[in-house]
Each structure stands twice: as structure tokens, then as C-alpha cells.
Amino acid sequence: MGEKIEQLSTQLGQLSDLGGALSVMGWDQEVMMPDGGAQPRARQLSTLARIRHEMATSEDLGDLIEAAAQETEGAGYDSDEASLLRAAKYDYEQDMKLPVDFVAKFTQVTSEAQHIWAKARANNDFKSFEPTLEKIFEMARQQADFLGYTDHPYDALIGQYERGMTTAEVARIFNAHKPDLIELIAAIGEVEDRVSDDILHREYDIDKQRAFGIEVIEKLGFDFTRGRQDISTHPFCTSFSRNDVRITTRFYKDYLNPSLFGMMHEAGHGMYEQGVAEALDGTPLGSGTSLGVHESQSRMWENVVGRSKGFWSWAYPKLQANFPGVLDDTNVDAFYKAINTVKRQFIRVEADELTYNLHIMLRFELECDLLTGAVKVSELPQVWNDRFEQFFGIRPPTDTLGVLQDVHWSAGLIGYFPTYALGNLLSMQYYNTAVAANPSLPSEIASGKFDTLLSWLQTNIHQHGRKYTSPELTKRVTGTQIDPAPYVAYLQEKFTDVYGLG
Ligand code: ZN
């Protein structure tokens, strides 16, 4: 390794350490911090974000990147050095576009907003959140202007989470599968009483839920010697290193899904982070490449594996034994149908596989309109409810069940939502490729063996960290670009079976 690239690695390592410290404080804010900590924490986060940003945009770093670029000339595109330099250059250019005062201010506003939003949601009181949300969208517009775009301000924002993705491309991908979803949902609506999820709403002891969930995700491959799980209102995964990955969950005594499938979901994110190559740890390459690819991993373990017939042929007897008496009068077939019930309902995080992407499409359209001013923040509750009704045929009775349900806007994460839907699409493309390479995968899953799938994912996706952008990675793995067709085909086959459609 040359002298300059070594110096660059050291500097970038320090930046990554500051990022890690910010993540620790963010994790603590969601998991441990008492309410009284909200204001000091916002200030602490803001100070640290300012220091990190100053370091990330220093002239020194810019010079070092230039010098290291000359040193690594000729290094192969796939090499660690060339990849590190690509990422460093891209991050530097992005960071340079944002003034440090803006970054500090945005961090503070969105940190304080967490508390305001949580209260507004609990009290079904949009008005109390409205001024904060107005401020956040105003700052998001500034952010888009700073970052720059050609066609739509939203391009700049979504690009932060899914590099290379544009508003037009998201719209094209969404429009290409929206009618199929609506058609299948309508067909199921005709026969919706064929399937019920009542058995998931029995009394499930919380300690037993925790024990069962941990047994499952350990078996899937989440490494508890390099990670831990805690409780938070809004489950998430964060990583301070491939060797320290945090996931969270939540429990309801009378509803099995949030903990069980939430744990598999977050473990999917966690295993991605744990699978990044050791050599990339503590560098800008040392985490998942994009939110869409990240979500492809969580949704694959949660849904493609975790909601499959094969998986439950292995797991159901264990579940039944874990909750003595609770499931005595039912069977694996009824349980499989119950966990795949399609329901038009208000809450995105509880949505089934079929309706999920529609929830995202609603948010995507609204974010675009809020950004351009076509919809005003003050009109949001009304517009949300109107459009929700158009999409789903039901109207949210409260804002808590409507516009206030998600944490993202209060956190300033505008442009984030589409990555969930893109992740669903990618999950099926990657899974199909894994099965083509290992035709015995489905039968392995049915016997509780998950290491072939995990090691395929590690080899083809996880180990690369941020070496490749999402489109580059998808092309390498599948030979094609992101495509909704395999996901739609999967949904059609699965739900035709679950609902016994013609
Ligand atoms: Zn996720």
C-alpha cells in the first residue's frame, strides 16, 4: 500500500469512528435514553455531526484524495484500494456540497423533532407537529438544492439512500407493477374470508416470544457474539462495526407478528452488516451499499424465507412446543395462511407482502408533491386520507393511523421510503439467483438449514460492503437491472395458492 493511500485510510478511519460514535448516540436515544435526555442529546449529536462534517470536508482530505488517486492509478476496479478511493471521492464531493451550519442545524432540528412527533402520534395531534414538519420539508428543499439535481429535487434526496436512482426511474418501476398489485388485491378482496389471522392474536407470553425469536434468528445466522438485540418503539438495525451490530424489536402480548417477523427482518439487516469483509471494517466501504440492497436482505429473511411453507414445516412444531396449549387446535397449514393474510389496513409496518409496496407508493407520491409545493404540509392529513382511500378503499379514522404513523419525516429522511419497495423487488431477484446456483435451497430451508443461503449472500453481496453501487451489484449478481417482474410473479403464485384463486 502506498504512503498516501495509507494516510488516507487513517483519516477515513477516524471519520468512520466519528460516524460510529454518532450511531451509538442514536442507538442510545432510541433504546435507553430517558425523556429528559432529548434536548441535551440533540445538542450532543449536533456538535459531533459538525465536527465530523468539518473533518469530512477539510481541504487536507481533498488533497489527500487527489494524491492517493495518483498512487492507486492502475489498481483494478475490484481492488480494495481503488474501491476505497471511489467511495472516498464520492463521499467527499457529496459532503462538500452541504454547508457545515446546515448539517449541524438539520441534525438538531430532526433530533428534537423525534420527541415532538412521538408525542403528536400518541395524542393524535397533527397540529402540534405541523410547524416542525414544515421546517423539515423546507430544509429538505434546501438540502436538495445544495446537493443538486437535473430533473426533480427529489432526485437529490433519494440519491442519498440509493445512489444513481432517480424520481423518474422510481415512478417507472412503481407504475410497472402497481396495476398488478391492485388487481390481485381486488381478486383476494372477493374471497377474503377464506383466510384469517385470528390465531396470531391469541395470548403469547412475551418471554417465550423473545426466547423463540432469538432461537430462530440465531439459527438463521445472526451472530450474537458480534451483535445484540434490545427493545425500542420503532425497530431498527444499526452498526458501529461488522463486529458490533445492534438490532431492536418490540413485543405485543396479543400479537405474534411484530416480534417474530420483526426479529427476522432486523436480523436480515444485521447479517448483512456482520458479513462485510473484515478488511473493509472501519473504512467508508465497511457497511451495506444502499438502503434498497439492505432492505432486500431483511425482506428476504423475513418474507421469502420466513413466510414460506418450507420454513414453517420446520419451525411450526417448535413454535407449538414453545407456546404449550396455545396452538393445540390448529395446524401448520392454517398457520401458514394466517401469516400470509392479505389485509387492507392502515399501518405500513404491519402490511402484508402484497399490499406493502402500495403503502410506499402513497408516500413516494406525497413526498414528491410536498417537495415541489403541490401539497402543503397543512393539507397533509386531508390529502393523506383522500389518497389512502383511493389506493385501499378505506379511510384512516385518525392521523395516528394515517399521516403520523412513520418516524421517517420527523427524522428528516425524505427520499428514504422508496428503498423499501425497491428492496422487496431485489429480494426476489437475488433469491432466484441463489436458487439457480443452489437448487436444493428450498428443501434445505424446509429442514432448518440456512447456511447455504447465508454463505451465498455473504459471497455475492455482503462481503463487498460499499465496493459496488446498488445497480453495479445487482448487475454483477443477477446479470440484469432492478425489475419488478420476478416479485410480481412470486406474489401471484403465492397468494393464488394461499387464497385458492381460480
Ligand atoms: Zn428494514
Side-chain angles (χ1 to χ4, degrees):
M1 202 188 264
E3 186 197 344
K4 293 294 172 191
I5 188 95
E6 197 139 339
Q7 282 177 24
L8 178 65
S9 289
T10 308
Q11 274 213 27
L12 294 173
Q14 289 167 353
L15 263 180
S16 158
D17 290 344
L18 286 177
L22 278 161
S23 300
V24 174
M25 291 207 288
W27 173 85
D28 176 83
Q29 175 173 287
E30 302 304 316
V31 175
M32 304 294 284
M33 192 185 77
D35 275 1
Q39 280 222 325
R41 179 53 46 86
R43 204 185 56 231
Q44 291 152 357
L45 281 166
S46 168
T47 300
L48 200 57
R50 176 186 286 275
I51 293 170
R52 203 207 78 92
H53 192 74
E54 276 166 359
M55 220 169 123
T57 54
S58 74
E59 223 170 282
D60 265 15
L61 182 62
D63 294 344
L64 204 48
I65 291 172
E66 290 287 310
Q70 287 171 12
E71 243 179 41
T72 50
E73 242 171 62
Y77 192 85
D78 300 327
S79 70
D80 289 359
E81 282 88 351
S83 303
L84 182 74
L85 206 73
R86 279 199 306 278
K89 208 163 169 302
Y90 177 78
D91 292 346
Y92 186 74
E93 283 165 4
Q94 287 294 102
D95 282 334
M96 283 298 283
K97 293 176 184 168
L98 296 171
V100 66
D101 286 340
F102 176 83
V103 172
K105 176 95 184 158
F106 199 48
T107 306
Q108 177 152 8
V109 167
T110 52
S111 175
E112 283 168 4
Q114 297 297 291
H115 200 62
I116 300 169
W117 160 75
K119 235 173 142 176
R121 184 173 86 147
N123 299 330
N124 185 34
D125 179 13
F126 180 80
K127 277 276 162 219
S128 67
F129 180 49
E130 192 184 305
T132 306
L133 191 58
E134 235 157 46
K135 179 84 199 157
I136 288 171
F137 268 96
E138 187 191 312
M139 292 191 84
R141 274 188 289 272
Q142 288 170 14
Q143 196 180 25
D145 289 340
F146 287 136
L147 291 170
Y149 55 87
T150 1
D151 296 326
H152 197 293
Y154 197 74
D155 291 348
L157 301 183
I158 187 172
Q160 299 180 102
Y161 311 110
E162 202 65 24
R163 190 174 154 191
M165 189 50 77
T166 62
T167 316
E169 179 68 356
V170 172
R172 187 191 66 76
I173 293 166
F174 283 4
N175 290 334
H177 72 296
K178 191 171 165 183
D180 294 319
L181 297 183
I182 289 176
E183 192 185 324
L184 192 52
I185 292 166
I188 287 171
E190 303 282 307
V191 293
E192 61 188 1
D193 50 5
R194 286 183 187 171
V195 173
S196 150
D197 70 345
D198 286 354
I199 55 175
L200 304 173
H201 289 278
R202 293 177 176 175
E203 198 173 317
Y204 292 95
D205 179 79
I206 284 176
D207 288 337
K208 290 192 172 122
Q209 286 190 46
R210 182 185 289 115
F212 184 75
I214 285 177
E215 188 190 330
V216 166
I217 63 175
E218 239 177 342
K219 188 87 184 169
L220 297 181
F222 184 79
D223 180 355
F224 276 94
T225 66
R226 297 190 290 127
R228 55 177 284 141
Q229 177 181 261
D230 294 271
I231 294 176
S232 71
T233 322
H234 208 91
F236 66 98
C237 169
T238 185
S239 157
F240 318 140
S241 152
R242 74 188 288 281
N243 298 313
D244 188 355
V245 176
R246 308 297 176 92
I247 58 176
T248 70
T249 190
R250 59 181 163 188
F251 296 99
Y252 297 96
K253 203 169 61 185
D254 57 354
Y255 193 23
L256 190 59
N257 281 19
S259 75
L260 182 55
F261 294 100
M263 275 161 95
M264 288 194 251
H265 180 97
E266 300 306 334
H269 284 301
M271 290 187 283
Y272 186 7
E273 291 294 318
Q274 290 180 333
V276 174
E278 181 82 58
L280 306 181
D281 196 41
T283 79
L285 302 175
S287 63
T289 189
S290 78
L291 293 184
V293 175
H294 237 296
E295 198 66 9
S296 77
Q297 302 304 293
S298 56
R299 304 293 279 185
M300 190 187 300
W301 291 105
E302 175 196 357
N303 291 330
V304 183
V305 174
R307 281 188 165 87
S308 69
K309 235 180 205 166
F311 177 86
W312 285 102
S313 71
W314 166 76
Y316 186 73
K318 295 177 193 314
L319 182 80
Q320 222 176 5
N322 190 69
F323 295 101
V326 180
L327 295 164
D328 282 1
D329 61 340
T330 181
N331 57 49
V332 63
D333 191 49
F335 184 81
Y336 169 70
K337 287 183 175 171
I339 59 170
N340 287 297
T341 303
V342 174
K343 253 191 192 165
R344 292 174 303 159
Q345 50 87 34
F346 304 114
I347 301 293
R348 172 187 62 86
V349 296
E350 286 167 18
D352 53 83
E353 286 176 274
L354 184 54
T355 56
Y356 191 93
N357 279 13
L358 277 188
H359 287 268
I360 298 303
M361 292 171 192
L362 170 80
R363 286 155 178 78
F364 165 65
E365 292 172 16
L366 279 170
E367 284 186 337
C368 289
D369 287 347
L370 284 160
L371 219 55
T372 58
V375 170
K376 291 185 179 45
V377 170
S378 59
E379 302 165 339
L380 243 189
Q382 173 82 26
V383 178
W384 177 289
N385 291 347
D386 289 348
R387 291 197 191 172
F388 193 93
E389 201 170 352
Q390 282 167 22
F391 274 60
F392 293 93
I394 50 174
R395 192 175 182 86
T398 66
D399 291 335
T400 300
L401 291 171
V403 68
L404 285 173
Q405 65 181 274
D406 293 307
V407 69
H408 302 66
W409 290 346
S410 66
L413 302 172
I414 323 291
Y416 187 125
F417 280 122
T419 65
Y420 291 121
L422 301 176
N424 278 333
L425 308 182
L426 288 172
S427 72
M428 192 43 59
Q429 291 178 268
Y430 295 154
Y431 182 75
N432 285 348
T433 311
V435 173
N438 305 279
S440 63
L441 260 188
S443 61
E444 287 184 19
I445 289 170
S447 60
K449 183 172 165 355
F450 307 103
D451 53 342
T452 307
L453 177 58
L454 182 57
S455 82
W456 186 89
L457 293 170
Q458 281 167 348
T459 304
N460 291 281
I461 297 172
H462 301 176
Q463 63 157 332
H464 300 307
R466 278 181 76 212
K467 264 192 180 180
Y468 308 110
T469 64
S470 164
E472 283 173 345
L473 185 75
T474 302
K475 181 88 184 165
R476 278 177 67 99
V477 175
T478 68
T480 59
Q481 289 307 326
I482 185 166
D483 175 11
Y487 191 65
V488 170
Y490 157 76
L491 293 175
Q492 281 168 338
E493 193 188 329
K494 179 172 189 174
F495 290 101
T496 296
D497 170 53
V498 169
Y499 279 86
L501 299 177

